[in-house]
Amino acid sequence: EPEVTQTPSHQVTQMGQEVILRCVPISNHLYFYWYRQILGQKVEFLVSFYNNEISEKSEIFDDQFSVERPDGSNFTLKIRSTKLEDSAMYFCASIHGQGANTIYFGEGSWLTVV
Amino acid sequence: DAKTTQPTSMDCAEGRAANLPCNHSTISGNEYVYWYRQIHSQGPQYIIHGLKNNETNEMASLIITEDRKSSTLILPHATLRDTAVYYCIVRAFNTNAGKSTFGDGTTLTVKP
């Protein structure tokens, strides 16, 4: 079964540092998403991306966050200057855009800011 | 998205059927019911979805009431590996369906 892959699986970074989380969505999918889950809390939507631009973003997705699809296969989430409260599991997801629109999630990147 | 209500937790004996309810009384006519599960902080995993008819796949069955205000996910023979948080999500069948609102879900514990 096709899958969404994410790297790194775990990253520890110092507060104030920039972090880039990478995702390879399923190859024929057209819509891409980032979610996050702080330990013990709900899965929260961050941003959706279609046709090389952000289609929707949540209040969490402030100026410190950015997304990019640099080469037609990778989909990245950048946090410019990490804060302690950015520590969370970040999930990438994609959907085909036609048919069932089932959301496929990656296994997540666990970010720890110290 | 329509709001959903699920019990916080449920237990099930291994090998027995697990029946997980979900209330979605404000569901609109164009909204589907999706079920996902999350095993121990892994990425949420799609299980099944439906509009108004009952659905079955290799993982589970979905029973939707005639008025569509509630549904039940059935795992016919629960195993220990089915221990997870199960999310019921109601979402329109549109192109931004990936933007979904996850609630607290039901923590299902399958016991030997």
Side-chain angles (χ1 to χ4, degrees):
Chain A
E1 184 175 293
E3 57 181 21
V4 176
T5 57
Q6 291 186 239
T7 54
S9 57
H10 188 193
Q11 182 162 353
V12 181
T13 189
Q14 290 203 325
M15 193 168 53
Q17 294 297 304
E18 176 183 283
V19 160
I20 297 176
L21 305 178
R22 292 184 167 79
C23 168
V24 179
I26 295 171
S27 63
N28 63 347
H29 283 193
L30 301 176
Y31 295 79
F32 315 110
Y33 305 84
W34 283 101
Y35 284 76
R36 81 169 184 191
Q37 187 175 30
I38 295 170
L39 188 63
Q41 298 187 23
K42 298 178 188 179
V43 177
E44 301 174 289
F45 167 78
L46 290 179
V47 65
S48 58
F49 190 86
Y50 170 70
N51 201 25
N52 282 320
E53 60 183 24
I54 291 173
S55 50
E56 195 165 351
K57 59 184 180 180
S58 71
E59 292 177 353
I60 303 167
F61 194 88
D62 61 22
D63 292 343
Q64 292 299 311
F65 291 90
S66 62
V67 289
E68 192 174 49
R69 189 159 158 81
D71 56 12
S73 61
N74 291 289
F75 178 51
T76 62
L77 174 69
K78 182 192 291 186
I79 310 174
R80 263 181 267 281
S81 177
T82 50
K83 309 184 193 72
L84 295 177
E85 55 264 37
D86 293 327
S87 294
M89 182 73 92
Y90 289 82
F91 295 110
C92 176
S94 68
I95 65 169
H96 184 272
Q98 295 177 9
N101 276 337
T102 299
I103 312 169
Y104 291 90
F105 286 85
E107 287 303 307
S109 292
W110 182 246
L111 176 65
T112 303
V113 182
V114 296
Chain B
D1 296 350
K3 181 176 169 56
T4 62
T5 306
Q6 299 177 251
T8 303
S9 63
M10 294 182 66
D11 290 343
C12 177
E14 189 178 18
R16 303 298 293 268
N19 297 285
L20 292 94
C22 179
N23 285 319
H24 31 79
S25 57
T26 60
I27 192 170
S28 301
N30 66 340
E31 289 182 317
Y32 283 65
V33 181
Y34 290 84
W35 282 84
Y36 283 77
R37 72 180 182 184
Q38 188 176 26
I39 298 173
H40 195 247
S41 295
Q42 295 178 19
Q45 177 191 23
Y46 166 79
I47 301 173
I48 199 166
H49 75 281
L51 181 63
K52 55 183 179 181
N53 297 321
N54 298 336
E55 302 287 344
T56 296
N57 63 21
E58 64 278 4
M59 288 182 69
S61 295
L62 174 60
I63 309 297
I64 302 174
T65 57
E66 195 169 336
D67 63 7
R68 302 209 323 124
K69 292 185 177 181
S70 66
S71 60
T72 301
L73 177 75
I74 301 172
L75 308 178
H77 305 287
T79 70
L80 299 179
R81 288 177 294 180
D82 291 322
T83 293
V85 180
Y86 287 77
Y87 299 101
C88 168
I89 295 169
V90 174
R91 182 69 190 174
F93 204 71
N94 61 27
T95 53
N96 203 18
K99 175 187 176 283
S100 291
T101 301
F102 285 78
D104 293 316
T106 296
T107 299
L108 174 69
T109 303
V110 181
K111 299 186 174 180

